[in-house]
Amino acid sequence: MIIDTDAKNEADDQFAIVHALLSPSLDIRGLVAAHFGNRRTRSSLEESREEIDLLLRLMKLDGQVQVADGVPYALPDVGTPVRTPGVELIIDEAMRDVAEPLYVAFLGPLTDMASALLLEPRIAERDVTVVWIGGGGYDGRGPQGGRPEFNLSNDIVAANIVFSSQVRVWQVPAPTYRMTTVGYAELDAKVAPCGEIGEYLVRQLVEWNEGLPGPSIEFRALGDSPAVGLMLHPNCGTWVERPAPNFRHDGSHDFSVQNRPIRAYDSIDARFIHEDFFAKLRAFAGN
């Protein structure tokens, strides 16, 4: 498994990264730092990399997990890949002559996967599954008429490259990943007491919420955690197999071209995902 993460975009990537690192059945081949656009910062990839490095230090795992930088910006068009260490990592792992399948979990935009496919199209013939947290809901589910879903909006070109390819895709769209809400009371009881990493996870989530406009809240969706849950247990959600859409500039679906089918999850077992994480973190901290 490779995790491609815009780790400093919000406060939920951190939980998914730690969960994956604590799961013994997952062979983490590397963490790839991803950009998250330039609406809030001009150094989003660098900030993601710093956050990944911080998490590894807090877990005393620095130097034990490969970390590579992905593409620092959205692809300009469908014919211009960008070669970076993170993209090379995806290519190298996909093309290894091993029996095990490769899962590449994308917690942000699909930029690095699109570049990898453009540079090495044979990836689509390998036993590779892209697990993407992103995209809007289908069949009228979820908010309509607003801005495109955030991860999609940060590279619509890349999403179209991946969705129109032959690579296997499991998608967790926005209405599904928002099913993972947890409250402060539960986080204070089950995460914050678990050492430096537990305290940091909760503190940075609360700080993120406090910076948001609007009324005070005491909850957060851990929307990236389904990617880890599906690696541990692919049936911890229900899905519909549907032709992969293309995406218009506004993020809406375009089904005028019938791409190959993908697996789109329409529900997720948040209880399994959260309780598995809480128990592993508690054991890691020796609580």
Side-chain angles (χ1 to χ4, degrees):
M1 179 182 183
I2 294 172
I3 300 175
D4 190 289
T5 167
D6 56 346
K8 196 58 177 175
N9 166 45
E10 275 191 57
D12 53 338
D13 290 69
Q14 294 86 341
F15 286 79
I17 293 167
V18 174
H19 191 179
L21 291 170
L22 294 179
S23 297
S25 63
L26 301 181
D27 179 9
I28 308 299
R29 306 296 297 180
L31 303 172
V32 178
H35 74 91
F36 49 92
N38 56 18
R39 279 168 279 188
R40 296 201 303 267
T41 176
R42 296 292 175 177
S43 56
S44 61
L45 183 134
E46 291 83 359
E47 292 177 22
S48 292
R49 175 60 186 262
E50 290 173 3
E51 189 72 358
I52 293 169
D53 292 341
L54 173 60
L55 294 173
L56 293 174
R57 287 198 303 274
L58 290 173
M59 297 179 73
K60 307 298 189 289
L61 293 176
D62 42 326
Q64 299 183 45
V65 181
Q66 183 174 187
V67 183
D69 290 347
V71 180
Y73 46 80
L75 297 185
D77 55 62
V78 296
T80 308
V82 181
R83 191 181 294 273
T84 71
V87 172
E88 292 283 4
L89 173 63
I90 294 171
I91 294 172
D92 290 346
E93 291 296 328
M95 302 306 294
R96 288 174 69 219
D97 188 17
V98 294
E100 294 83 5
L102 174 68
Y103 293 86
V104 192
F106 286 85
L107 314 184
L110 288 167
T111 309
D112 298 321
M113 192 69 221
S115 274
L117 285 166
L118 291 175
L119 291 165
E120 180 46 90
R122 292 179 297 167
I123 289 175
E125 303 168 10
R126 308 289 287 183
D127 192 359
V128 175
T129 301
V130 171
V131 183
W132 183 40
I133 304 292
Y138 293 93
D139 303 325
R141 297 180 65 228
Q144 303 297 315
R147 283 187 280 182
E149 188 274 333
F150 188 79
N151 290 343
L152 170 63
S153 72
N154 283 326
D155 200 337
I156 293 176
V157 168
N160 280 329
I161 291 170
V162 174
F163 271 52
S164 63
S165 76
Q166 293 301 308
V167 74
R168 188 182 305 115
V169 172
W170 296 356
Q171 181 191 12
V172 184
T176 305
Y177 69 65
R178 290 174 183 146
M179 295 176 178
T180 57
T181 299
V182 291
Y184 286 0
E186 186 172 22
L187 293 173
D188 286 340
K190 297 180 178 179
V191 177
C194 295
E196 279 189 288
I197 186 62
E199 186 277 333
Y200 175 72
L201 288 174
V202 176
R203 173 164 50 84
Q204 61 88 33
L205 183 147
V206 172
E207 289 174 352
W208 171 264
N209 276 357
E210 288 176 347
L212 296 174
S216 177
I217 59 176
E218 54 176 274
F219 64 89
R220 191 80 198 159
L222 302 183
D224 290 317
S225 292
V228 180
L230 294 177
M231 298 302 90
L232 296 169
H233 177 27
N235 290 322
C236 79
T238 60
W239 71 86
V240 175
E241 194 167 87
R242 57 170 69 244
N246 286 347
F247 298 98
R248 302 184 182 94
H249 291 299
D250 64 357
S252 62
H253 298 118
D254 178 3
F255 288 105
S256 64
V257 177
Q258 293 288 293
N259 297 313
R260 55 80 183 83
I262 62 170
R263 179 185 293 191
Y265 279 85
D266 54 13
S267 74
I268 204 73
D269 186 349
R271 187 218 60 82
F272 162 73
I273 295 169
H274 292 335
E275 291 297 338
D276 186 72
F277 170 64
F278 297 150
K280 287 172 176 171
L281 184 64
R282 188 164 58 248
F284 177 73
N287 289 13

